[in-house]
Amino acid sequence: MGTRQVSGTRVVAAAPEEIFALLTDPSKHALLDGSGTVRGAQPGGPEKLELGTKFGMDMKLGAPYKILNTVVEYEENRLIAWRHFNGHRWRWRLEPVEGGTKVTETFDWSTARIPPLISVSFFSRKNKQGIEATLDRLVGMFPV
């Protein structure tokens, strides 16, 4: 069966509260996204994400599309995760460390409707590359 997630971690020279403010503001997600798929938050959505919040994003993977996400994990300034209709999750963990915050972003498809389909597709490899690029962008937003 194997692991059904990919992650990346960086130490960012910022307080968890500063990073969490970016993650909980859907209008900032396109700035963070290193995958090139997130285009922007859909109009009329929430300004700040909390547990149970639904938010729409404009996306592009080849062709443009829209996706509706729901926040399914939430701990103020420490953890946020959202999923869409297929059930897989994007999770962010923040841990204060010397020099800033240890940030781990995870694409977890163990909760997907059909996890084996994601396991055998290109998504896990592409998402790992996107996570690494996203974390690099985040580091660059808070120069030492």
Side-chain angles (χ1 to χ4, degrees):
M1 178 162 59
T3 301
R4 291 186 170 167
Q5 64 181 34
V6 290
S7 295
T9 302
R10 300 282 189 288
V11 174
V12 180
E17 295 78 9
E18 294 175 276
I19 299 166
F20 203 73
L22 284 173
L23 297 174
T24 56
D25 181 350
S27 72
K28 304 285 192 248
H29 288 189
L31 298 174
L32 281 172
D33 174 51
S35 73
T37 60
V38 179
R39 295 298 186 224
Q42 292 176 7
E47 291 181 20
K48 183 177 188 291
L49 302 178
E50 298 174 336
L51 188 62
T53 302
K54 293 186 183 313
F55 65 104
M57 299 300 290
D58 291 326
M59 309 288 291
K60 184 172 184 186
L61 183 61
Y65 64 100
K66 296 180 184 310
I67 200 84
L68 181 65
N69 298 292
T70 304
V71 178
V72 292
E73 298 175 36
Y74 186 94
E75 184 183 339
E76 186 81 24
N77 299 320
R78 295 290 178 267
L79 171 71
I80 188 166
W82 52 80
R83 64 160 176 77
H84 62 68
F85 67 90
N86 193 39
H88 49 272
R89 296 177 183 211
W90 291 97
R91 181 181 297 113
W92 293 81
R93 287 190 189 281
L94 309 178
E95 180 185 336
V97 294
E98 189 171 327
T101 303
K102 179 179 163 186
V103 178
T104 302
E105 181 186 3
T106 302
F107 173 66
D108 178 358
W109 66 94
S110 67
T111 57
R113 290 177 194 245
I114 309 173
L117 286 183
I118 296 174
S119 294
V120 299
S121 74
F122 69 93
F123 284 112
S124 60
R125 187 177 70 252
K126 290 293 287 181
N127 286 336
K128 174 66 172 166
Q129 293 169 353
I131 286 170
E132 296 298 337
T134 297
L135 291 169
D136 287 345
R137 278 185 175 208
L138 182 61
V139 168
M141 295 173 122
F142 298 98
V144 179

